[in-house]
């Protein structure tokens, strides 16, 4: 096959070259080698094509800010691979067990590409991805998907599938792609990182780097920036050990949201940078008409609004209440009444034409207060000041209805932090966020300037009823457990979690489960209900996903309980009790 570089009709082998580069990246564990392979590949392509490739190499079909979900589930991909390969379900299942990854299965079972089929290049592939994203319904999407895969060699198909599922699994993160861009085009890493953070688009960043224009990168309103992340702390002492000027806020249990506001135009983005404005029309309205253009950071929570007189702030409702509002394109007036929401604003990234992220937290806090207390373009009602031992003077804290300034406290001793923690839990919140008053906002980074302090709500001792083969590092071992609680003398499932056990425990348990399988469904094995494990979780909700009628949010397996028999596992009554306690808003913080 001919390989042509830069100037020529490089389209000939482009997607194949990318797939080959991915194979080489996967084959080495050395970070520097991975970066060198990516840099060499990028340099060999025209900037337009290298830009799209950089997005693909970050494990995404589209740039981060782009909210076109492909909505191609594993089932549809599986079916397409099956159709094109002519293999039966058992053969594919066996392949999946071996490789733990549908892309790798495709490479093994798909026939060679038909001679004379047009070759693929990255730009074209992205166009085809867009077509799939736009297509409505599984059959339309399936047809386009098969068309795309039929034009690919088995190796290309492997990576097309991996990109579509959002996980290349070649040990490459966007941060390494940034390093490769710096290397390929002779820029410094901080220059590339800053441009990428402002643009939220590694492809656009690459184009600027290729032209030597990285300094021209500007924050773009309505293109989400990365979210600053927090590190966990285990104790109040640790919470105060990293910096001396600590601002403390409640940790609200909702969804993180970045609000871009310019006059009447408002867009709200989730932590995955998807646009979610449509799900929260009342927040869009409440945020419209801010006196200045702004980007706010905050948490959307279900909120219980108290009567207006006397003015009070109200309180957050559990995450499970908010769930009914998530993922909706249309929201009825009735639902808005049934599940009222609020935007708890706690930071500002941009205001009045100026980027605020490099300013220390205390200054951003002042800017946020100014923004939220300034008169609106339209008469939006105001909520009264909040009470408490606040860092900001109460008269600086009025907030419009639906947009509420998160309370900010000060703590300088572990006992104060403990007290605030108990108070936050009593207000129905998850715990505390501890923030360094002197720190800048670092989008997309998890550092020690923001700390989170929460404790497990409770743990449950549950019985494993079914197990599944894992993927990635967990190929060939049974690492996903479905588990149940007791309901009289039967067991009812309540959740499923990846095992948090050690590799050797998982290996040992895999052998046990294989010997005690009741029914083999291929990837899922029903097993004898003998093994008890302890699971932790963030929250409990009602759900018909499992036959207990409950589900756990973020369940994690804490440890095996070889000391317990299934008869000693927790019961549905205990589940109800925990659920009621959560929903009554009562907390037992020291569990
Ligand atoms: P976690 O999801 O456990 O990593 O905790 C971090 C998340 O807590 C953030 O992404 C926010 O969604 C959420 N959060 C709730 N309240 C706050 C707050 N006051 N400041 C920052 N993040 C908060």
């Amino acid at each position: 096959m001919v390989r042509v570089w830069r100037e020529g009709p490089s389209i000939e082998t482009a997607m194949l070259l990318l797939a080959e580069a991915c194979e080489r990246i996967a084959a080495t564990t050395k970070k520097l080698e991975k970066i060198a392979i990516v840099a060499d590949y990028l340099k060999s392509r025209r900037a337009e094509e290298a830009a799209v490739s950089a997005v693909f190499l970050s494990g995404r079909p589209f740039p981060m800010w782009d909210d076109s979900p492909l909505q191609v589930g594993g089932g549809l991909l599986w079916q397409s691979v099956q159709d094109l390969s002519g293999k039966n379900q058992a053969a594919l299942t066996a392949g999946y067990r071996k490789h733990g990854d549908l892309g790798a299965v495709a490479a093994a079972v798909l026939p060679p590409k038909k001679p004379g089929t047009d070759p693929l290049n990255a730009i074209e592939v992205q166009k085809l991805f867009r077509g799939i994203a736009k297509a409505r319904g599984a059959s339309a999407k399936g047809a386009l998907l098969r068309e795309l895969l039929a034009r690919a060699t088995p190796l290309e198909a492997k990576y097309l599938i991996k990109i579509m599922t959002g996980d290349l699994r070649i040990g490459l993160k966007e941060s390494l792609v940034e390093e490769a861009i710096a290397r390929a085009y002779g820029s410094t890493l901080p220059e590339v990182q800053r441009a990428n953070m402002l643009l939220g688009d590694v492809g656009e960043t690459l184009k600027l780097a290729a032209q030597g224009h990285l300094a021209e990168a500007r924050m773009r309103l309505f293109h989400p920036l990365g979210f600053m992340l927090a590190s966990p702390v285990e104790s109040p002492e640790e919470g105060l050990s990293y910096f001396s000027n600590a601002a403390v806020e409640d940790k609200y249990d909702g969804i993180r949201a970045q609000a871009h506001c310019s006059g009447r135009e408002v867009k709200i983005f989730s932590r995955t940078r998807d646009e979610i404005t449509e799900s929260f029309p009342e927040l869009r309205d409440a945020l419209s008409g801010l006196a200045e253009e702004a980007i706010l950071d905050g948490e959307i929570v279900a909120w219980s609004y108290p009567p207006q007189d006397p003015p009070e702030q109200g309180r957050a409702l559990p995450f499970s209440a908010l769930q009914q509002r998530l993922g909706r394109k249309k929201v009825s007036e009735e639902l808005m009444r049934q599940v009222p929401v609020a935007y708890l604003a706690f930071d500002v990234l941009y205001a009045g034409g100026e980027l605020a992220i490099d300013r220390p937290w205390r200054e951003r806090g002042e800017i946020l207060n100014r923004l939220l207390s300034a008169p609106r373009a339209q008469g939006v009602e105001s909520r009264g000041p909040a009470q408490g031992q606040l860092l900001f003077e109460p008269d600086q804290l009025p907030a419009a209805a639906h947009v509420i300034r998160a309370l900010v406290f000060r703590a300088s001793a572990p006992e104060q932090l403990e007290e605030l923690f108990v108070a936050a839990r009593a207000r129905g919140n998850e715990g505390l966020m501890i923030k360094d008053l002197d720190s800048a906002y670092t989008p997309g980074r998890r550092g020690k300037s923001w700390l989170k302090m929460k404790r497990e709500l409770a743990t449950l001792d549950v019985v494993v009823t079914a197990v599944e083969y894992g993927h990635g590092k967990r190929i060939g071992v049974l690492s996903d457990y479905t588990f149940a609680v007791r309901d009289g003398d039967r067991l009812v499932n309540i959740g499923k979690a990846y095992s948090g056990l050690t590799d050797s425990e998982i290996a040992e348990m895999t052998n046990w489960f294989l010997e005690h399988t009741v029914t083999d469904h291929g990837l899922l094995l029903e097993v004898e209900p003998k093994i008890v494990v302890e699971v932790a979780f963030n929250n409990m909700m009602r759900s018909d996903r499992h036959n207990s009628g409950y589900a756990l949010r973020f369940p994690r397996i804490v440890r095996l309980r070889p000391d317990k028999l299934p008869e000693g596992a927790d019961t549905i009554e205990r589940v109800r009790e925990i659920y009621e306690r959560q929903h009554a808003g009562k907390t037992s913080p020291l569990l």
Side-chain angles (χ1 to χ4, degrees):
M1 206 167 278
V2 196
R3 288 188 186 155
V4 204
W5 311 103
R6 248 173 226 279
E7 259 66 51
S10 49
I11 323 175
E12 292 298 303
T13 53
M15 193 64 213
L16 190 61
L17 288 180
L18 180 59
E20 286 170 355
C22 288
E23 289 284 279
R24 291 203 301 279
I25 296 163
T28 173
T29 52
K30 297 200 182 84
K31 208 176 109 181
L32 287 178
E33 269 177 37
K34 287 180 194 276
I35 294 169
I37 298 167
V38 177
D40 286 346
Y41 166 78
L42 294 176
K43 262 194 305 196
S44 76
R45 317 310 305 161
R46 284 175 294 122
E48 284 292 326
E49 193 187 321
V52 178
S53 304
V55 174
F56 289 172
L57 286 164
S58 307
R60 263 183 229 104
F62 306 120
M64 196 105 84
W65 57 267
D66 189 332
D67 60 341
S68 346
L70 271 179
Q71 281 178 320
V72 169
L76 199 58
L77 283 168
W78 184 279
Q79 191 57 51
S80 305
V81 173
Q82 192 170 353
D83 291 351
L84 290 170
S85 67
K87 302 275 183 209
N88 62 20
Q89 184 73 12
L92 246 58
T93 303
Y96 192 85
R97 275 194 186 183
K98 184 164 157 216
H99 300 288
D101 173 309
L102 188 58
V105 177
V109 300
L110 286 177
K113 182 167 130 162
K114 288 207 185 78
T117 326
D118 284 345
L120 287 168
N121 71 73
I123 297 175
E124 214 181 343
V125 165
Q126 196 173 53
K127 275 196 199 124
L128 295 168
F129 282 162
R130 287 204 193 281
I132 295 174
K134 280 208 195 92
R136 294 278 155 264
S139 76
K141 280 182 191 288
L144 292 173
L145 194 56
R146 279 192 300 277
E147 215 173 280
L148 168 65
L149 294 178
R151 283 183 56 190
T153 65
L155 186 63
E156 286 171 331
K158 173 175 178 178
Y159 286 98
L160 293 178
I161 290 175
K162 281 167 172 274
I163 294 165
M164 283 189 274
T165 49
D167 193 357
L168 282 176
R169 300 209 190 115
I170 54 175
L172 197 65
K173 290 183 299 196
E174 187 163 299
S175 56
L176 296 191
V177 179
E178 288 176 335
E179 286 195 46
I181 292 174
R183 184 172 168 150
Y185 305 103
S187 338
T188 67
L189 180 59
E191 282 168 344
V192 175
Q193 283 172 332
R194 183 163 177 92
N196 191 24
M197 179 262 292
L198 293 174
L199 298 172
D201 187 330
V202 73
E204 289 301 313
T205 303
L206 180 144
K207 285 190 209 162
L208 288 180
Q211 299 161 357
H213 289 170
L214 278 176
E216 285 170 22
R218 294 274 172 278
M219 193 275 319
R220 290 180 291 178
L221 207 56
F222 305 117
H223 284 210
L225 278 79
F227 287 83
M228 179 156 176
L229 303 169
S231 303
V233 292
E234 301 302 330
S235 65
E237 288 73 19
E238 190 191 351
L240 293 174
S241 64
Y242 299 101
F243 41 83
S244 46
N245 289 317
V248 183
E249 296 163 359
D250 282 16
K251 184 173 191 302
Y252 301 94
D253 192 12
I255 57 163
R256 186 78 175 270
Q258 195 177 95
H260 289 229
C261 315
S262 173
R264 298 260 151 267
E265 202 178 345
V266 171
K267 282 191 180 179
I268 307 175
F269 298 96
S270 71
R271 179 158 161 177
T272 46
R273 308 203 200 182
D274 296 312
E275 201 197 324
I276 50 169
T277 323
E278 281 171 337
S279 303
F280 303 102
E282 66 271 63
L283 299 184
R284 180 196 55 216
D285 293 348
L287 286 160
S288 89
L290 286 186
E292 297 166 49
E293 273 193 345
I295 300 180
L296 307 181
D297 190 4
E299 186 92 351
I300 297 176
V301 290
W303 194 256
S304 152
Y305 286 94
Q308 281 294 309
D309 196 19
E312 277 176 48
Q313 215 190 23
R315 61 187 281 150
L317 296 170
F319 181 81
S320 47
L322 181 69
Q323 259 200 324
Q324 301 172 59
R325 293 288 308 262
L326 302 182
R328 289 180 190 260
K329 288 262 173 249
K330 281 225 160 60
V331 184
S332 66
E333 290 286 333
E334 195 189 344
L335 187 62
M336 282 197 266
R337 260 196 313 278
Q338 275 170 357
V339 187
V341 294
Y343 184 63
L344 271 293
F346 51 69
D347 215 320
V348 55
L349 281 58
Y350 167 84
E354 227 188 278
L355 201 60
I357 55 174
D358 293 328
R359 291 173 178 261
W361 187 95
R362 62 171 92 234
E363 284 178 30
R364 301 200 307 278
E366 302 283 357
I367 298 173
L368 182 60
N369 290 345
R370 183 186 83 212
L371 273 172
L372 297 185
S373 55
R376 301 303 181 83
Q378 61 175 25
V380 184
E381 23 161 349
S382 260
R383 295 231 150 244
Q387 67 309 77
Q389 192 214 354
L390 295 162
L391 182 60
F392 290 103
E393 286 304 309
D395 63 336
Q396 283 181 272
L397 288 165
H402 295 298
V403 181
I404 299 172
R405 173 55 159 110
L407 301 182
V408 187
F409 302 91
R410 258 289 209 189
S412 50
E415 302 74 51
Q416 285 170 327
L417 216 47
E418 186 71 50
E419 237 172 67
L420 288 171
F421 183 85
V422 174
R425 296 293 295 228
R427 279 191 284 270
N429 298 325
E430 246 191 317
L432 297 179
M433 298 292 301
I434 308 160
K435 300 180 177 177
D436 182 353
L437 275 163
D438 300 313
S439 67
Y441 190 100
T442 49
R445 306 258 177 275
R446 193 184 299 281
K448 297 275 193 232
S449 301
W450 282 17
L451 306 170
K452 56 186 178 189
M453 191 172 134
K454 55 183 185 179
R455 284 179 210 164
E456 312 291 4
L457 176 73
T459 60
L460 283 175
D461 292 331
V462 294
V463 185
V464 179
T465 54
V467 287
E468 278 170 70
Y469 283 94
H471 50 247
K473 254 184 19 191
R474 301 274 163 84
I475 295 175
V477 290
L478 293 160
S479 61
D480 300 3
Y481 298 177
T482 299
F483 43 79
V485 291
R486 289 185 298 128
D487 181 5
D489 48 15
R490 62 184 195 128
L491 288 169
V492 286
N493 285 340
I494 187 163
K496 185 179 146 175
Y498 296 114
S499 173
L501 305 176
T502 64
D503 288 348
S504 73
E505 281 173 328
I506 292 174
E508 197 181 314
M509 292 315 301
T510 297
N511 290 336
W512 190 93
F513 288 130
L514 288 173
E515 281 162 20
H516 297 83
T517 297
V518 181
T519 320
D520 186 341
H521 296 282
L523 294 180
L524 180 134
L525 312 179
E526 280 176 49
V527 295
E528 289 175 27
K530 297 250 171 75
I531 300 296
V532 179
V533 292
E534 182 179 341
V535 289
F537 50 93
N538 285 19
N539 222 326
M540 191 178 276
M541 51 227 162
R542 282 207 160 277
S543 155
D544 44 24
R545 186 156 13 124
H546 304 292
N547 63 346
S548 61
Y550 293 88
L552 308 178
R553 184 166 180 234
F554 295 139
R556 317 175 272 285
I557 294 171
V558 183
R559 59 191 169 128
L560 290 166
R561 294 295 308 256
D563 52 321
K564 279 209 168 177
L565 292 172
E567 292 75 30
D570 278 314
T571 60
I572 191 78
E573 285 77 25
R574 170 126 203 278
V575 168
R576 282 194 199 112
E577 200 184 287
I578 295 175
Y579 178 84
E580 297 300 333
R581 196 170 62 213
Q582 251 182 51
H583 287 252
K586 284 187 230 137
T587 49
S588 44
L590 300 175
L591 270 175

